[in-house]
Amino acid sequence: FGDGAEWGVRIHYSKEAESLGTAGPLKLLQSELGEPFLVMNGDILTNLDFRRLRDAHLENGAALTVVTKVVDLPLHYGVVESDNEIITRITEKPVIRAEVNAGIYFMNPEIIEYIPEGRKYDMTVLLQDLLSRGARIRRFELKDYWLDIGRLEDYDRAQEYVREGLFDR
């Protein structure tokens, strides 16, 4: 991606001597981040309108905005409900619907102050720490396409999706 000029953005590269987790590396960039900025896990495929996310973050007055996605999680087993030893209900292979953290964030630079220097620190820990301090964290529900390609079968699916041009629609 070079310096990002081809896409109208400025790209800085930072190298960790050892793994600092999903939030820790932001501390290395603290002097570079003077305005609200985007953070995104590298194993996400999405057609999210990032301008809409930025605008929503700037308008909502939050210190940090977390992109969420509603997903269906199929269980491959029958779920048993009981009252002591008496079965009251069996649901065969239900689908659980949950709103999950999509691994995409828009945040204000002052958030970096809460990240410890030189040690592993994950985004989920940062979110919990901020919540315990009373920070205002908002959600931005993603209705567009989103796929976490961290598992090989999801990566293969993403490759096929892009190859067939379905992502361009």
Side-chain angles (χ1 to χ4, degrees):
F1 294 107
D3 65 0
E6 184 177 339
W7 296 277
V9 297
R10 204 173 46 152
I11 297 176
H12 293 268
Y13 296 91
S14 173
K15 257 191 160 169
E16 304 167 40
E18 58 185 60
S19 176
L20 297 175
T22 53
L26 294 175
K27 195 70 165 182
L28 301 173
L29 300 171
Q30 189 167 11
S31 64
E32 302 288 332
L33 301 170
E35 58 189 66
F37 59 93
L38 172 74
V39 175
M40 181 172 157
N41 292 355
D43 59 354
I44 302 295
L45 178 63
T46 183
N47 60 358
L48 167 66
D49 181 339
F50 291 100
R51 285 184 188 94
R52 236 179 76 233
L53 170 60
R54 179 204 57 209
D55 293 348
H57 174 77
L58 295 176
E59 291 169 9
N60 72 28
L64 191 148
T65 300
V66 178
V67 176
T68 64
K69 178 71 176 173
V70 174
V71 297
D72 291 332
L73 307 166
L75 290 180
H76 301 288
Y77 306 99
V79 174
V80 175
E81 296 176 40
S82 62
D83 182 5
N84 292 320
E85 300 302 316
I86 306 298
I87 292 178
T88 58
R89 182 176 180 182
I90 298 176
T91 307
E92 187 60 27
K93 297 181 177 124
V95 173
I96 298 172
R97 179 164 276 206
E99 186 172 10
V100 300
N101 177 343
I104 305 169
Y105 314 88
F106 217 92
M107 61 182 72
N108 295 346
E110 61 268 16
I111 294 298
I112 299 173
E113 295 295 326
Y114 298 101
I115 299 173
E117 194 165 335
R119 71 176 178 89
K120 185 175 181 184
Y121 191 74
D122 285 326
M123 194 63 78
T124 51
V125 177
L126 174 62
L127 292 172
Q128 289 299 327
D129 287 351
L130 291 171
L131 288 170
S132 70
R133 296 170 193 255
R136 184 179 168 108
I137 299 175
R138 298 287 303 260
R139 77 188 238 293
F140 180 92
E141 187 181 343
L142 175 60
K143 307 264 189 202
D144 301 307
Y145 184 79
W146 175 87
L147 179 64
D148 178 338
I149 57 175
R151 296 180 316 150
L152 187 55
E153 58 267 23
D154 291 328
Y155 176 75
D156 290 341
R157 190 169 74 186
Q159 292 283 329
E160 183 179 329
Y161 198 73
V162 171
R163 192 171 32 256
E164 291 178 5
L166 300 173
F167 194 68
D168 300 330
R169 293 180 187 170

